[in-house]
Amino acid sequence: MATHDHHHHAHHHGGGGYRFCPRCAGALAPRVLKSGEPERLVCEKCSFIFYQDPKVVAGTICTLEGGVVLLRRGIEPAMGKWVFPGGYVDRGESTAEAAVRETREESRLEVVTRSLLGVYSYSGSPNVIIVYVADVVGGTLAAGDESTEAGAFPLSRVPWDDLAFPSTVEALKDFGRLYGEGELC
């Protein structure tokens, strides 16, 4: 399942809506355990510490017919905005595998990762976004179940003012710096 909440800016600390201990069902309460670290949720009954880990997102920037593949999001957050294919990495799945799987689910394209483009993360957001440059090896570009439209945009025609997330803008700019218009195949 391609959950695409992927750059939602929720706070990493402060509870995130968790109220009960997963170990004994006691009440969780925020506590400062170490000076300089965010508050952690600690069980008032068994003292279990509930660490809220970052969420890892993996995606690809791939090209087709001289343009980068972008999808118009059909779900919140950033519904109606454009993004490269990507989504959450499942526990036990490699980030490259997740990027390939999400690209298939979102764009109907089969890709192989070529290289790591970059890792993007932001204060106040739980998401770490890992972006690969990928080569299309099969499939036919089409909007997957979480998108309303799919397209391949030359860098000069990317809808820069209509991109979904800060990481979308940054990764596309990094891609443009590395590969430029001339190398899009």
Side-chain angles (χ1 to χ4, degrees), residues 3-46:
T3 343
H4 233 320
D5 234 20
H6 73 243
H7 312 259
H8 189 56
H9 291 279
H11 285 283
H12 182 64
H13 51 277
Y18 294 102
R19 298 187 355 222
F20 301 105
C21 175
R23 187 179 278 169
C24 79
L28 292 172
R31 298 263 183 277
V32 174
L33 299 180
K34 203 184 207 179
S35 162
E37 286 191 358
E39 289 181 329
R40 309 290 184 193
L41 291 174
V42 180
C43 178
E44 295 181 325
K45 213 150 117 188
C46 77

Side-chain angles (χ1 to χ4, degrees), residues 21-171:
C21 175
R23 187 179 278 169
C24 79
L28 292 172
R31 298 263 183 277
V32 174
L33 299 180
K34 203 184 207 179
S35 162
E37 286 191 358
E39 289 181 329
R40 309 290 184 193
L41 291 174
V42 180
C43 178
E44 295 181 325
K45 213 150 117 188
C46 77
S47 300
F48 173 79
I49 303 166
F50 186 81
Y51 288 99
Q52 291 180 268
D53 297 321
K55 298 278 190 195
V56 181
V57 173
T60 65
I61 293 184
C62 55
T63 61
L64 198 64
E65 294 159 3
V68 293
V69 171
L70 295 176
L71 306 160
R72 193 189 285 275
R73 289 174 58 78
I75 58 167
E76 292 294 356
M79 187 151 80
K81 303 279 190 185
W82 293 91
V83 71
F84 50 80
Y88 287 119
V89 178
D90 292 324
R91 188 182 289 262
E93 182 181 38
S94 80
T95 55
E97 285 169 345
V100 167
R101 175 183 55 76
E102 286 287 348
T103 301
R104 181 186 311 116
E105 290 173 9
E106 299 289 316
S107 71
R108 309 293 187 234
L109 293 173
E110 292 295 332
V111 298
V112 292
T113 57
R114 186 197 309 175
S115 59
L116 177 67
L117 177 65
V119 177
Y120 307 87
S121 62
Y122 304 91
S123 293
S125 168
N127 299 305
V128 176
I129 302 106
I130 299 172
V131 184
Y132 293 90
V133 175
D135 295 315
V136 177
V137 293
T140 303
L141 180 61
D145 44 2
E146 294 179 355
S147 305
T148 58
E149 206 181 326
F153 296 83
L155 287 172
S156 58
R157 292 215 291 278
V158 163
W160 293 104
D161 294 334
D162 219 11
L163 298 177
F165 306 109
S167 56
T168 314
V169 176
E170 274 193 71

